[in-house]
Amino acid sequence: MGSSERTVFENPVVEWIDSRLPVFTMMQKEYGVFPTPKNFNYLWNFGAIAMFMLVTMIVTGIVLAMHYTADVTQSFDAVERIMRDVNGGWLLRYMHSNGGSFFFIAVYIHIFRGMYYGSYKQPRELLWILGVVIFILMMATAFIGYVLPWGQMSLWGATVITNLFSAIPLVGDSIVTLLWGGFSVDNPTLTRFFALHYLLPFVIFAVVFLHIWALHVTGSNNPLGLEPKTEKDTLPFHPYYTMKDSFGVVVFLLLYAYVVFFAPNMLGHPDNYIPANSLVTPAHIVPEWYFLPFYAMLRAITFDIGIPFTDIVIISAKLGGVITMFGSLLLWLVLPWLDTHPLRSARFRPLYKKLLILLVLDFIFLGYVGSQAADATLLGIPLSVFGLIATGLYFAYFIVILPWLSKNEKGRELPASIHEAVLAKNKK
Amino acid sequence: MTADSEDRRDFLYLTGAAFGAVGVACAVAPMINSLNPAKDTLALASTEVDISAIPVGESKTVMWRGKPVFIKHRTAEEIAEARKVNVDVLPDKQSDEDRVEKPEWLVVVGICTHLGCVPVGQKTSDAHGDYDGWFCPCHGSHYDTSARIRKGPAPKNLAVPPYEFISDTVIRIG
């Protein structure tokens, strides 16, 4: 962002500003002529789509906040008032509540893209880590936001998740009291959650800025996983990828708009239209769909881990579940050092490709397990057994399979350059 | 610059940094502390309950510190069932005698010790789990007639709040 080489602009106003603060030069360099691999497929749209959803969430959220009141006696009614009386309030709320889901859809695909094409590998490790940080911040923000309508799922979801921290030895209970500002999830909790729900999106925005900054230092990965060597391998970002990204955003918006207008409660839970009641727990507490796989991992540990044949418990079932759930995310942070295979793209790693697809299926199955009641069965076997197996496979993939593949998978021969691979494909 | 002045400069840097860190910690402490329960929240910390209207075998739920408290008027069979259990086989070893002031009255915080749901079992028509006490529907914890954890992910028995009998029919919780 220095002032080293400035573009000269013909427009005198632009030139006047740019010579004092070179924002136009920066835009020209980073988004105009920025050299971008020319072989992107549509999976490379989801960064731009996620950015679009973040802005949508912030804009609709700011307007909604103008009509919302954070108070246990008023929040539920405030949200219903938004739905019924505020001009276009129903649209804003449905855009915001479903926008969260579509933001997660975009980000999950974006993360899968990164895993499939090895985008986290050297030199893009920090870029990847910043992405995982964004994902964790998104989870926190989404969870806190779900509490604000103060329905039954809001209250009980918040109760279950904040109670996770009580699993921490010694200081757990004090931490939970500190989080709640009382002895249960109540008014002080709601008001601080509202403050944080307003703050965190801007923190996310700041980390996204760092994420994109890091991206523009290393340049984008691409479906072949080869670094661009010459100008033949790249295209200027504008108009090629501004156009391709815009097209992708519009297609994504079609799906988003369909759900907002025709199935706005499809992804929600009907219990959240019941005002919060601290005396009645819903029979079946489920988080939003995007948390289900992690929720299944939380519930997978139903046994204490201790010294055999004694009563000494080292890790209680509760702490075990919490460690498993957070561990499943922390693994993503160290992914660049678990998968050290020299080839990036799964296109040239047939075994890795198959196993990654199995991981995705395992993750989706965990989502199914998370969506079911705690005492559910499948084929006559308690579902928690399947949950434990699927959780084991998830961890085995990262801790055992990836390091093993890094040493032992041979991989296919790489093309000489992006340009040659594109030409060879066009000849066929 | 001599070696001596470099040492002195290092010392100044470290001292400056240390004072800065302590200063930041002092400035942050009141902000974190403001998130702890406020005085009005703490003021609601005790409550008196008239238990004369609870028939034998039924229970009542009252609020204390924003949490439900279960007051159960136990039957003789329920007391006997709670007392015949071998304490050594329990996940959270506690005898029934240690959990009650008077055998017929069980007073516990109605918050599952797993992740804080309210177990069902207060109404006679509710599910009572495998041990005739309470059942937490969230993650399937079973509590017995002394509200001790018997099966499921919860690590501890339902907590007994501090309480005392002010008279034969009134208890003060908290």
Side-chain angles (χ1 to χ4, degrees), chain A residues 156 159-160 163-164 166 174 177-178 181-184 186 188 192 278-279 281-283 285 295 298-299 302 311 316-318 374-375, chain B residues 32 34-38 41-42 61-63 65-68 88 93 113-119 135 137-140 152-153 155:
Chain A
W156 291 101
T159 299
V160 168
N163 262 306
L164 294 181
S166 71
S174 310
T177 304
L178 184 70
F183 304 102
S184 60
D186 210 334
R192 67 190 55 183
S278 56
L279 288 177
T281 306
I285 298 181
Y295 190 57
L298 167 73
R299 297 196 303 184
T302 53
D311 285 332
S316 67
K318 185 163 143 185
D375 50 359
Chain B
I32 304 255
S34 78
L35 298 177
N36 268 320
T41 310
L42 292 170
T61 307
V62 296
M63 291 302 281
R65 289 182 163 186
K67 296 174 187 178
D88 288 338
K93 295 174 194 10
T113 55
H114 181 227
L115 293 172
C117 297
V118 178
F135 172 68
C138 295
H139 307 96

Side-chain angles (χ1 to χ4, degrees), chain A residues 45 62 86 107 124 129 241 243 261 268 283 370 377 390 396 404 407:
Chain A
N45 277 1
I62 288 172
V86 173
V107 165
R124 297 186 182 83
I129 289 170
Y241 287 118
M243 200 44 70
F261 288 105
T377 56
W404 186 84
K407 279 196 189 122

Side-chain angles (χ1 to χ4, degrees), chain A residues 46 50 53 57 97-111 134-143 252 288-291 294:
Chain A
F46 285 89
M53 288 315 299
M57 293 304 281
S97 59
N98 288 294
S101 284
F102 276 81
F103 193 6
F104 270 97
I105 292 174
V107 165
Y108 271 126
I109 297 173
H110 190 62
I111 293 169
I134 293 168
F135 183 67
I136 293 169
L137 285 170
M138 273 177 69
M139 292 178 93
T141 311
F143 158 68
F252 191 82
E288 292 279 81
W289 68 266
Y290 35 81
F291 292 137
F294 299 102

Side-chain angles (χ1 to χ4, degrees), chain A residues 36-41 222-224 226 232-235 241 347-348 415-428:
Chain A
T36 315
K38 66 179 180 180
N39 57 335
F40 279 1
N41 57 31
N222 60 77
L224 293 169
L226 297 171
K232 279 180 176 175
D233 294 337
T234 63
L235 291 169
Y241 287 118
R347 278 194 190 174
F348 304 102
S417 72
I418 296 171
H419 179 64
E420 277 184 26
V422 171
L423 281 187
K425 197 178 164 193
N426 288 348
K427 262 182 206 159
K428 279 179 197 167

